[in-house]
Amino acid sequence: EELRDDFIVTFAGNIGKAQSVDTIIEAANLAKSNENIKWQILGDGSEFEYIKSLVDKYSLHKNVNLLGRKPAYEMPNYFSKSDALIVTLKNENILRVTLPAKVQSYMASGKPILAAISGEGNRIIKDSKCGLVCEAEDYVKLYENVIKLFNMSKEERSTLGKNGKEYFNKN
C-alpha cells in the first residue's frame, strides 16, 4: 500500500433529485483549497449530467472523481479505501421518515459517515455516534464536518467507524 495523504470521501448510489448530490459538490467546492480531500462519486442517475456540469463550473476535476456506475461486488473495495462515506438527501418531508438503505451498508462497512440528512437518518447517525451529521442540503455544515473529520486522529475516526458497525450489528 503506497503512502497516501489523500483523504477519500465516497458517495455510492443513485444520483437523482432525492439524493441531492449537488450538496456534496457545493461542499467540495468550499473544500477545494485542501487538495488532500478527494471526493469520489460512484453511481449514475437522472442528475449525473447536472453534477458533471457543476464539477466543470467550479473546476473541481482534481478534487472530485465521478466514477459512474460500478458493479455491487466492487463496493467493499471502494469503501475499504475510503476514509469516510457520505450520504445526502433532499430536504423533503417524505425523506425525513426513512433511513436510507445506504446508511446501513455504510455502517456495516465500519467507516465513519458524513451525512447531510434530516429526520430519522439524522437521529440514527447521532444516536449511534458513527459520524458527523448536519441537516439536509446544508452544504456549509457538510464542508465544516469534512474538515473536522479530516483533522481528527486515525483513532478518533476509527472509533466512529466501529460505533457504526456495532450499531448495525445490534439493530
Side-chain angles (χ1 to χ4, degrees):
E1 180 69 48
E2 75 278 13
L3 192 66
R4 61 169 182 86
D5 293 319
D6 283 351
F7 183 78
I8 300 173
V9 182
T10 300
F11 170 93
N14 185 44
I15 301 173
K17 283 254 188 287
Q19 285 76 30
S20 189
V21 178
D22 52 320
T23 301
I24 299 174
I25 305 303
E26 296 290 347
N29 188 42
L30 293 178
K32 192 176 179 173
S33 64
N34 188 328
E35 288 172 4
N36 291 329
I37 300 177
K38 305 284 191 231
W39 309 74
Q40 202 168 235
I41 297 179
L42 299 160
D44 201 356
S46 59
E47 296 289 292
F48 186 82
E49 289 306 318
Y50 171 59
I51 294 306
K52 202 167 169 240
S53 75
L54 283 182
V55 170
D56 291 340
K57 176 181 151 187
Y58 296 136
S59 306
L60 291 172
H61 306 96
K62 277 199 181 88
N63 316 69
V64 177
N65 208 351
L66 299 176
L67 297 170
R69 193 186 294 279
K70 298 286 176 193
Y73 68 82
E74 284 182 18
M75 286 307 136
N77 187 33
Y78 282 105
F79 288 1
S80 73
K81 291 197 170 92
S82 302
D83 294 284
L85 303 174
I86 196 162
V87 56
T88 47
L89 278 180
K90 267 195 98 51
N91 193 4
E92 285 170 9
N93 284 337
I94 184 101
L95 300 172
R96 290 169 168 267
V97 292
T98 56
L99 177 70
K102 85 161 63 122
V103 171
Q104 299 172 44
S105 57
Y106 282 4
M107 281 179 163
S109 79
K111 293 285 172 170
I113 298 176
L114 280 166
I117 53 179
S118 298
E120 185 64 1
N122 184 300
R123 186 188 64 77
I124 284 175
I125 290 166
K126 281 184 180 148
D127 285 355
S128 60
K129 298 183 175 58
C130 70
L132 301 177
V133 62
C134 61
E135 294 299 322
E137 298 182 55
D138 187 349
Y139 67 88
V140 176
K141 190 79 174 114
L142 179 61
Y143 155 72
E144 289 168 358
N145 282 343
V146 80
I147 298 296
K148 200 166 161 183
L149 196 66
F150 176 79
N151 288 324
M152 277 183 189
S153 68
K154 278 207 159 64
E155 291 71 39
E156 288 173 300
R157 291 201 294 261
S158 150
T159 298
L160 293 173
K162 281 193 194 104
N163 290 347
K165 202 166 189 159
E166 279 169 20
Y167 188 93
F168 174 81
N169 290 332
K170 277 195 196 107
N171 295 281

